[in-house]
Amino acid sequence: MFGPDDEPAVELLWGLVTIPSLSGKEGEASRWLVRRMMDHDLVRCDVDAAGNAVGEIGPADAERVIVLLGHIDTVAGEVPIRLVSNDQDRDLLFARGAVDAKGPLATFVLAAAKLGHAWAEAHSVRIVVVGAVEEEAATSKGARFIRDRFDGAREPIPEACVIGEPSRSRRVTLGYKGRLLVDLRARQAVRHSAGPDAGIGALTFDLWRLVSAEAARYNKGEERIFDQLQPSLRNVNTSCFEGLEDRVEATLGLRLPLGYPHQELEAKLEAWVAEQRRDRAALGFFELELSFRGYEPAWCSDKSSALARSFLR
């Protein structure tokens, strides 16, 4: 929400949300943000090799580094851009990315600018603001590039990293669940619909039942969602190729709790694939492939860390 004293914030955020920036197509928005960073007196502003918009406050050789990591990309879909006044004489901005996460990214730029170079130099702090690309994709290209840049060898490991994501204005998010994507691809010779075979598409639901059963087993006694294994069926597509071959492609998503042994689940699913291949070998042409991608372990910060305490204050 914006009030009458928030014109710079409105201008910056409005400019960001008016530029489409789907994952993988953020170039125009990144270049625009770099120019705005310069306007707000950030230095060493550039679009890096990954496509991230990067700008800094403070000396390049400062003893301490703090990274403010937002993301500039959005998911697909158009949300009409509009400002709507409410009964408290404030404006609400509606737009794709306004909350997730161009709003936090604009906040980072203005917060760094407000602190200014004199403050950063006096405290020997270098603040690096990043508008990362491909956060909404499984690649996380921009964040991985920044992680590798500040590896302690080429550049010092940051003292703290603040991630710009929606978490409500009076809450602090301390962690992220992990992720694993499972892709299924299968094909077989066409079977008659009056026959005993349920069809190639049924493989997806056999896999879903297997993963759901694993989640139910693991989640028993776990009351917090953060501690649970959460499966989702992301998509299912069946097709018939030239009337001769039935095909199915599907993706399952898994949000992983801290410490979840994903290798054990992968082994169970690979055993299921081997079983399906054996059972269908006598029925003619059949292929089934399962692949895993986008793995990220869950992570949680200590609530008593200096960074968490400062936000809670």
Side-chain angles (χ1 to χ4, degrees):
M1 292 190 296
F2 301 109
D5 298 327
D6 296 324
E7 185 175 342
V10 174
E11 181 182 358
L12 182 60
L13 183 52
W14 185 273
L16 271 175
V17 298
T18 56
I19 303 173
S21 54
L22 300 180
S23 298
K25 299 178 180 179
E26 307 94 340
E28 182 183 355
S30 291
R31 292 188 294 271
W32 184 89
L33 181 58
V34 164
R35 293 193 295 270
R36 298 291 80 76
M37 287 177 170
M38 294 177 180
D39 292 342
H40 286 282
D41 295 327
L42 275 68
V43 295
R44 296 180 289 278
C45 301
D46 198 7
V47 176
D48 67 19
N52 300 323
V54 183
E56 301 183 7
I57 286 288
D61 59 350
E63 296 176 4
R64 304 159 66 196
V65 176
I66 296 174
V67 174
L68 305 180
L69 180 66
H71 70 87
I72 200 165
D73 63 318
T74 70
V75 296
E78 294 187 10
V79 176
I81 303 172
R82 64 194 193 277
L83 275 173
V84 179
S85 297
N86 65 9
D87 57 5
Q88 297 176 340
D89 195 27
R90 297 181 71 84
D91 291 327
L92 304 177
L93 174 63
F94 294 84
R96 173 61 76 201
V99 174
D100 188 7
K102 293 181 178 182
L105 178 55
T107 300
F108 283 162
V109 173
L110 294 171
K114 185 174 182 179
L115 284 174
H117 294 286
W119 180 92
E121 189 166 355
H123 292 82
S124 190
V125 174
R126 173 184 169 203
I127 300 173
V128 182
V129 181
V130 181
V133 298
E134 295 187 24
E135 191 276 345
E136 296 289 2
T139 57
S140 297
K141 178 182 177 182
R144 291 178 187 275
F145 185 87
I146 293 298
R147 175 200 64 189
D148 295 341
R149 172 184 165 184
F150 292 93
D151 59 358
R154 286 174 292 178
E155 296 203 46
I157 295 174
E159 181 175 321
C161 177
V162 183
I163 309 247
E165 284 284 337
S167 60
R168 300 189 182 181
S169 61
R170 296 185 179 275
R171 292 186 179 183
V172 177
T173 298
L174 296 176
Y176 283 88
K177 297 194 76 166
R179 177 193 60 199
L180 179 66
L181 298 175
V182 183
D183 293 320
L184 176 147
R185 291 181 178 84
R187 56 188 186 140
Q188 68 181 20
V190 168
R191 310 287 168 77
H192 199 285
S193 60
D197 191 348
I200 195 78
L203 280 172
T204 301
F205 301 102
D206 292 341
L207 176 62
W208 173 251
R209 283 194 291 268
L210 181 61
V211 172
S212 295
E214 165 65 12
R217 180 198 65 79
Y218 185 87
N219 295 341
K220 190 174 182 179
E222 299 289 356
E223 296 183 359
R224 295 197 315 165
I225 292 178
F226 189 75
D227 298 324
Q228 296 176 3
L229 175 64
Q230 293 177 285
S232 62
L233 187 55
R234 305 289 291 272
N235 62 69
V236 181
N237 293 292
T238 59
S239 61
C240 183
F241 178 69
E242 295 186 347
L244 299 173
E245 187 177 285
D246 287 331
R247 298 177 176 181
V248 64
E249 294 186 359
T251 299
L252 277 65
L254 292 157
R255 299 307 303 267
L256 312 176
L258 285 169
Y260 179 75
H262 69 98
Q263 299 93 336
E264 294 180 11
L265 175 61
E266 291 179 14
K268 288 182 181 179
L269 299 184
E270 288 169 349
W272 173 80
V273 169
E275 180 183 347
Q276 293 297 317
R277 289 171 177 165
R278 286 194 305 270
D279 292 347
R280 293 172 180 254
L283 300 177
F285 171 71
F286 174 76
E287 288 185 357
L288 171 60
E289 300 293 337
L290 211 63
S291 59
F292 306 95
R293 61 185 172 91
Y295 170 69
E296 295 285 353
W299 184 85
C300 190
S301 173
D302 185 352
K303 191 174 182 178
S304 64
S305 71
L307 183 59
R309 290 200 311 273
S310 68
F311 271 94
L312 291 171
R313 281 199 301 271

